[in-house]
Amino acid sequence: MVLVFLVISMRARLEALGLAVYPVAFGLVLVANLTPVVPVGDPVLRGLFLPIHTTLAFFGYAALFVAFAGGILYLVQERELRSRAPRTFYYLIPSLERCDTLSARAIEVGFALLTLAIVTGLLWSHAVHGRYWTSSPKEWSALVAWTLYVVLILARQRTGWGGRRAALLGIAAFAAVIFTFVWMNVLAVPVSARTP
Amino acid sequence: MIVVVGVSHRTAPLPVRESLAFAPDSLGEALRRLRAEAGSGEAMILSTCNRVEVYAREEEPPAPDALEAFLCAYHRRARAEVQPFLYRLAHEDAIRHAFRVAASLESMVIGEPQILGQVKEAYQAAEEAGTLGASLNALRNRSLSAAKRVRTETGIGRNAVSVSYVAVELARKIFGHLRDKNVLLVGAGKMSELAARHLVRSGGRATVLGGRTFARATELAAALGGRAMPFESLRDELARADIVISGTGAPGIVIQEADVEIARAARRGRHARPLFLIDIAVPRDIDPAVRRLGGVFLYDLDDLRSVAEANLRERRKEAAAAEALVEREVREFLDWQKARDAVPLLNELRRRAETIRRAELDKVRRRLGPLTPAQEEALEAATSAIVNKLLHPPTIHLKEAARESDAPEQLSLIRKLLGL
């Protein structure tokens, strides 16, 4: 995530994004360090699809998180501007349009990665369980997130949607992404026991 | 030593400052007269609307009030009238003051950018009049570079504190850049013109809506490189606009909530884009109810003022960092100046040693007769080495002693000890 942020900041020079990115990256590293390493002996973890799937998903999550952070910054800055009495955040956060375009770009990239991650995930599922769709909550939430992002991207492109509503929808979609991520990785449900 | 005498917005009301001000084209003549009358070798005059100050290098002990006398005589004012408003600073205080003025820490609006240019011009005028010597020139270099550091390294001048600039900054906070943003002016008042000029300079495109006085609207539109439209096209123009500046003299509401609502609905493919409304009219032009609408940001004159005040508070926070930076620079300058006091003594010491060495070498040569080049070289090297090694510790000590607070006493003691 920090890597994705660094690439973005090289291109856009958006230091304020660090407000949101660094604390979360710190938290994730902390969780990763505190979580006991599960021995990777499970045969289902061995296929070729899984590493590709996780890599794509990881970068997709990072990009979508940046979009989510952009949305939060947008809402905070909008509130500052509406209050007509600026406080600290007004000075730190970049302009509304900047937050908006940042979210839009990050969602385009994140959505492409998410799509590929879902496809490889389905292929992996087929290789392991013999079925593409196993109806697990993880699959459903991934589908929900994916659908929300499709709606958001289409709305932006077709009707010039943006601003506050786009920020809110981006945040909602990311909530679904978090559910997908947490279901799999942090609740640490054993992979073989996860599906019927 | 450097001395400064003057009046500023902190010590004197405007009429007094006015009566003591120097016109830019009379500065050269005033400086030459100052040098002739006050007997100071170096002088500089800084005259702005907020301060009139005379900087000079005076010999020790200084003539007690030569600069005050000059200031009053030049402007034909009685001493007794002006005296209560004058301040006089010398030595370290004068130097610190010069640094603080250049860094805009003494300005009425902290961090305002004009003062740096005004100080530069004042030194330039002194240079042209031939009254800028080594001391004031050193002060110029150090104080101006410190002022530039303050501007770039602290946020003292970062946020706008005037109403029209605040409007532009808010526009930037909403839109990012202002290139090709449509700026709609409703009414052609002075203040809207000022804000619109800033916006157009940043790339905005202006449209002026004229009411009864359409000629004025056409004139302003031409000045802004935009177009003028009749007031009847308000709703169409609102639909196109990103930024609206309203400043008519109308007694009631000019832009109704319905106008804005309809205009926003009419923006095909752009209805989510923000609309920034600036109402600088008193009484207000725009219905405050439009604040309810999504993506609409309305600021009236009071709102802009409160942002300006918040910005000023931010500047004051930054001023602490600027103060510390200036203080460091002042200390460095003072150290440098004191170290410089040791230079003549050091030179004298070296010259003395060299004379003795040469004289002794000549004596040796007379006694030994002609020497081979190799012997000659060895003799040179040996005697130079003795001199250098002997002088090394006192040189170091002298430079250090010059920085101490009792430098003058120490230097004169060293002078006595070495028989210089």
Side-chain angles (χ1 to χ4, degrees):
Chain A
M1 188 185 301
V2 173
L3 183 74
V4 171
F5 170 60
L6 284 178
V7 171
I8 290 171
S9 53
M10 264 191 294
R11 286 181 51 99
R13 286 182 306 163
L14 265 173
E15 291 82 1
L17 198 60
L19 277 178
V21 173
Y22 283 131
V24 174
F26 173 75
L28 286 179
V29 171
L30 198 68
V31 169
N33 282 331
L34 293 178
T35 320
V37 178
V38 186
V40 193
D42 199 321
V44 295
L45 285 175
R46 281 201 209 104
L48 176 65
F49 289 126
L50 193 60
I52 299 175
H53 167 73
T54 45
T55 311
L56 288 169
F58 177 77
F59 282 104
Y61 290 159
L64 293 173
F65 173 72
V66 168
F68 163 80
I72 298 275
L73 291 182
Y74 184 97
L75 293 180
V76 174
Q77 181 67 288
E78 191 188 36
R79 219 193 62 190
E80 287 288 304
L81 284 164
R82 279 187 180 276
S83 80
R84 291 166 284 137
R87 287 178 304 269
T88 318
F89 285 126
Y90 166 80
Y91 298 102
L92 290 176
I93 300 176
S95 66
L96 288 180
E97 292 248 320
R98 202 101 191 263
C99 295
D100 197 40
T101 29
L102 171 84
S103 283
R105 291 292 95 76
I107 282 176
E108 282 163 19
V109 174
F111 175 74
L113 290 168
L114 184 70
T115 309
L116 292 172
I118 289 175
V119 170
T120 50
L122 291 176
L123 290 172
W124 171 74
S125 174
H126 182 70
V128 176
H129 304 289
R131 274 183 298 166
Y132 288 108
W133 187 259
T134 59
S135 255
S136 73
K138 182 182 171 74
E139 284 164 344
W140 280 108
S141 72
L143 186 68
V144 168
W146 189 83
T147 314
L148 288 176
Y149 283 121
V150 170
V151 170
L152 183 50
I153 289 174
L154 286 180
R156 272 189 189 276
Q157 280 175 356
R158 292 291 161 80
T159 68
W161 230 54
R164 185 184 174 77
R165 272 178 288 181
L168 287 171
L169 186 55
I171 289 168
F174 191 71
V177 169
I178 289 190
F179 182 76
T180 313
F181 179 70
V182 167
W183 183 263
M184 173 68 203
N185 304 54
V186 182
L187 295 183
V189 180
V191 174
S192 48
R194 188 167 55 84
T195 44
Chain B
M1 70 163 187
I2 290 171
V3 178
V4 54
V5 168
V7 292
S8 77
H9 61 96
R10 297 200 181 165
T11 67
L14 187 58
V16 176
R17 302 200 303 266
E18 269 171 356
S19 74
L20 294 176
F22 293 84
D25 46 2
S26 70
L27 260 185
E29 180 247 321
L31 283 162
R32 279 185 290 274
R33 233 181 95 181
L34 173 61
R35 187 168 53 177
E37 285 174 23
S40 46
E42 298 183 33
M44 187 275 266
I45 296 174
L46 174 64
S47 182
T48 74
C49 45
N50 284 328
R51 62 182 66 246
V52 179
E53 290 176 339
V54 181
Y55 292 80
R57 188 177 65 83
E58 291 190 345
E59 298 304 332
E60 309 240 22
D65 51 5
L67 295 180
E68 288 90 332
F70 164 78
L71 206 50
C72 297
Y74 186 90
H75 293 289
R76 300 201 185 79
R77 294 289 304 258
R79 274 294 283 280
E81 267 175 65
V82 180
Q83 197 70 43
F85 303 108
L86 283 175
Y87 47 83
R88 177 190 174 87
L89 302 164
H91 294 294
E92 208 178 305
D93 297 333
I95 288 163
R96 179 168 294 112
H97 184 76
F99 272 73
R100 291 178 56 89
V101 167
S104 186
L105 286 173
E106 293 282 331
S107 298
M108 199 188 266
V109 177
I110 289 178
E112 55 96 6
Q114 283 90 1
I115 187 67
L116 186 56
Q118 289 163 338
V119 171
K120 262 186 210 164
E121 278 163 25
Y123 280 115
Q124 186 68 35
E127 192 168 30
E128 277 159 19
T131 62
L132 193 72
S135 297
L136 283 184
N137 198 36
L139 183 64
R140 154 158 93 171
N141 294 335
R142 294 295 189 107
S143 62
L144 292 183
S145 79
K148 278 179 209 138
R149 277 192 65 191
V150 165
R151 284 214 84 68
T152 52
E153 292 173 29
T154 74
I156 188 175
R158 205 174 284 148
N159 300 301
V161 290
S162 74
V163 165
S164 54
Y165 264 117
V166 163
V168 178
E169 257 183 29
L170 282 168
R172 284 222 176 83
K173 272 288 175 195
I174 294 171
F175 298 105
H177 64 78
L178 302 176
R179 213 173 319 116
D180 297 333
K181 294 287 180 252
N182 293 316
V183 181
L184 177 64
L185 270 85
V186 184
K190 260 273 153 285
M191 198 124 88
S192 11
E193 184 181 341
L194 195 58
R197 267 183 201 285
H198 296 319
L199 292 169
V200 167
R201 210 177 302 140
S202 312
R205 281 191 303 236
T207 302
V208 185
L209 281 193
R212 282 159 298 159
T213 53
F214 197 69
R216 168 83 185 113
T218 324
E219 198 180 299
L220 181 56
L224 294 169
R227 57 204 185 97
M229 295 294 284
F231 186 77
E232 287 66 42
S233 56
L234 173 68
R235 282 184 181 178
D236 294 337
E237 292 302 326
L238 269 179
R240 291 181 63 249
D242 298 296
I243 302 165
V244 179
I245 307 172
S246 193
T248 73
I253 299 290
V254 176
I255 301 177
Q256 307 285 348
E257 191 188 354
D259 293 326
V260 177
E261 222 169 343
I262 290 167
R264 293 202 43 87
R267 310 171 127 209
R268 231 171 289 112
R270 323 194 306 133
H271 56 263
R273 296 279 82 90
L275 176 63
F276 180 29
L277 303 172
I278 308 160
D279 187 351
I280 50 177
V282 179
R284 286 180 290 179
D285 277 348
I286 304 176
D287 185 353
V290 302
R291 286 208 176 100
R292 293 194 297 110
L293 303 173
V296 174
F297 299 91
L298 168 63
Y299 280 74
D300 62 29
L301 208 48
D302 274 359
D303 300 332
L304 293 174
R305 284 204 187 110
S306 85
V307 174
E309 270 160 37
N311 286 349
L312 201 56
R313 279 196 295 278
E314 281 295 304
R315 282 191 179 196
R316 293 214 185 91
K317 272 192 236 161
E318 288 295 323
E323 298 267 358
L325 200 153
V326 164
E327 196 50 42
R328 268 202 310 282
E329 292 273 340
V330 168
R331 289 254 79 84
E332 256 173 52
F333 179 70
L334 290 171
D335 282 351
W336 171 84
Q337 221 184 20
K338 281 177 187 160
R340 210 184 46 168
D341 290 346
V343 171
L345 184 53
L346 274 174
N347 289 341
E348 213 177 319
L349 185 59
R350 291 229 142 250
R351 225 177 7 253
R352 168 68 63 91
E354 189 60 20
T355 322
I356 296 171
R357 191 178 74 88
R358 293 245 156 261
E360 294 302 316
L361 268 181
D362 286 346
K363 272 194 221 160
V364 170
R365 283 204 196 92
R366 272 200 297 279
R367 238 185 299 136
L368 292 180
L371 297 169
T372 68
Q375 285 172 326
E376 190 71 54
E377 208 175 289
L379 204 55
E380 275 290 327
T383 51
S384 297
I386 293 170
V387 165
N388 285 339
K389 279 181 182 156
L390 264 177
L391 287 189
H392 184 65
T395 305
I396 301 286
H397 179 71
L398 256 174
K399 281 184 182 157
E400 274 166 13
R403 285 193 202 104
E404 307 283 318
S405 52
D406 58 344
E409 293 89 61
Q410 287 216 39
L411 290 188
S412 79
L413 179 68
I414 292 168
R415 211 171 259 280
K416 262 184 222 152
L417 279 174
L418 294 171
L420 291 167

